[in-house]
Amino acid sequence: MKEYTDAELAQILDKDIFHMISAAADELQLDCYVVGGYVRDIFLESQSDDIDCVVVGSGIAVAKRLKEKLGRRAHLSVFKNFGTAQVKYYPEGVKYNLENPDEGAVEVEFVGARKESYQRDSRKPIVEDGTLEDDQNRRDFTINAMAICLNKDRFGELVDPFNGLDDLWDGIIRTPLDPDITFSDDPLRMLRCIRFATRLNFYIDDETFEALERNAERIKIISGERIHEELNKILMTKHPSRGIVDLQRCGLLSLVLPELSVMDIVEERNGKAHKNNFYHTLEVLENVVKADGGLWLRWAALLHDVGKPRSKRWDNVQGWTFHSHDHIGAKMVPGIFRRLKLPMDMKMKYVQKLVDMHMRPIVIADNEVTDSAVRRLVNDAGYDIDDLMLLCEADITSKNQVRKQRFRDNYQLVRDKIEDLKQRDFERLLQPCIDGNEIMQMFGLKPSKEVGDLKQYLKDAVLDNRVENEREPLMQLLVQKATEMGLSQVG
């Protein structure tokens, strides 16, 4: 982080776009400020592409005047119902990309300064025109409530009524006003609080955190879409487990993702205790992050053991068991995605598949690594095999270093066999060259259990390497099996 004088801030903002905004505001005799994340990121020495401006008066009027100055290089969007406007422009030298219109574009959002009041059952505020002070009062956190004046006579002047700059230096997240009011008015700010603390590696002020605990139940009025947007942003930070722990500590996790929250328990019976599966999950998540896993692989890591609470049983010989937790967890994934309004398309199916299959490589690696087992694994995982292996290796969190190394060595054998299959074109090797349509034609069948049984018989023969995936040997097997089933060829 770096601190700047007003004169230095003026130099940082010495760009055409800010001078043009300044001129547009001055011509209309309106005070205009750049606010929020753009200001915060200046001091954090971080690049910010989106510019938010507050105008004491009509933000739409300043946006229109700016568009006039920028001419054909800019596009203006006005949202009268919200009193906001956006100017998207292309700096000199940036060519418009038809396939990716946002490439190289700079977006400037304008809003009139306002004050807000809320009703208990909604996060949509009643909005009135206000002063800059009113506008800064309604901001979520002190570090987002700083403003820099863009008018010519005060260009570069920092307005920081809540000492947000001090909080940046100290690494603290706190609200400008009473946190109970801030969070109760707009409960989404509770998730944003944890997201900023996670992303910036900041500490949540004690009073602010206590307000998170008191107001957690208010999150129930927030839509699944808004909740999963914040969860996604937390998951994509460098250390998402920190945010998940904070969600658990303040009581929010039990409301937005209870299937994960309930895992934070250790039971003991007859002197035998199982591990804390909540913290094990976070360790797996961090391992996936270290391996540069993407968003949906991180979701798979977060949910891979959610079936354990429902499958947990006590056995007098084995102790605590979690049989079939992988399959139980996979069945839970669609309900979780549906509740959080996460995409129910291939992304959900991808997460569900990885949760369902995450024990398969472990079973292989814990036993003899046979060609047949690896071929079946690759066949079932398909193009997601590499991500599945990454998740399963991340799942090795044993404190027993000897056992840990044995798993890793065996995983390498599995990986070597997978690579060998890939080099020999695993699709061709694993999918029988005789399909269901041909089976139906040969034996005069309609879609039925018999057709499925014959297809599976051929597939097992290929996967077990009992026969080459070639037409002639497979046809011999097919005719033999069909005869055993009492089926005769047509014609």
Side-chain angles (χ1 to χ4, degrees), residues 327-386:
H327 306 311
I328 292 171
K331 290 179 180 179
M332 295 167 63
V333 169
I336 294 171
F337 268 55
R338 192 173 295 110
R339 186 183 70 242
L340 291 174
K341 299 296 189 295
L342 284 158
M344 297 297 293
D345 55 11
M346 296 306 295
K347 298 181 181 68
M348 184 280 290
K349 293 184 182 299
Y350 165 88
V351 172
Q352 186 179 34
K353 178 199 282 189
L354 294 192
V355 172
D356 193 34
M357 294 188 66
H358 80 271
M359 293 298 293
R360 289 271 297 275
I362 294 173
V363 173
I364 294 173
D366 203 23
N367 296 288
E368 183 182 354
V369 183
T370 65
D371 287 347
S372 176
V374 173
R375 289 162 74 92
R376 288 179 177 277
L377 176 69
V378 172
N379 176 77
D380 293 343
Y383 288 106
D384 298 321
I385 184 63
D386 289 335

Side-chain angles (χ1 to χ4, degrees), residues 99-213:
E99 294 182 356
N100 185 9
D102 292 333
E103 184 179 355
V106 175
E107 294 182 2
V108 187
E109 300 274 355
F110 290 90
V111 64
R114 59 193 187 183
K115 55 183 176 181
E116 300 175 342
S117 57
Y118 290 80
Q119 295 179 329
R120 178 72 184 171
D121 60 348
S122 174
R123 63 177 290 265
K124 294 181 179 178
I126 299 170
V127 178
E128 303 174 69
D129 292 341
T131 64
L132 175 65
E133 181 182 3
D134 290 327
D135 201 88
Q136 289 177 300
N137 285 343
R138 72 178 183 85
R139 298 280 161 175
D140 50 9
F141 310 112
T142 59
I143 62 173
N144 294 334
M146 297 181 289
I148 300 175
C149 187
L150 295 179
N151 297 95
K152 187 176 181 180
D153 59 346
R154 295 170 54 209
F155 193 82
E157 178 184 309
L158 177 66
V159 182
D160 181 18
F162 303 109
N163 299 314
L165 194 56
D166 289 342
D167 287 344
L168 273 182
W169 273 110
D170 295 336
I172 291 176
I173 301 291
R174 64 182 178 90
T175 60
L177 303 179
D178 183 337
D180 282 307
I181 296 175
T182 297
F183 294 148
S184 181
D185 281 350
D186 185 355
L188 186 66
R189 289 170 175 163
M190 294 189 287
L191 293 180
R192 285 171 55 84
C193 176
I194 290 174
R195 190 240 299 177
F196 277 114
T198 307
R199 175 190 156 197
L200 299 175
N201 195 26
F202 278 17
Y203 169 77
I204 300 175
D205 166 73
D206 287 343
E207 183 180 353
T208 300
F209 194 87
E210 290 166 4
L212 289 176
E213 296 175 303

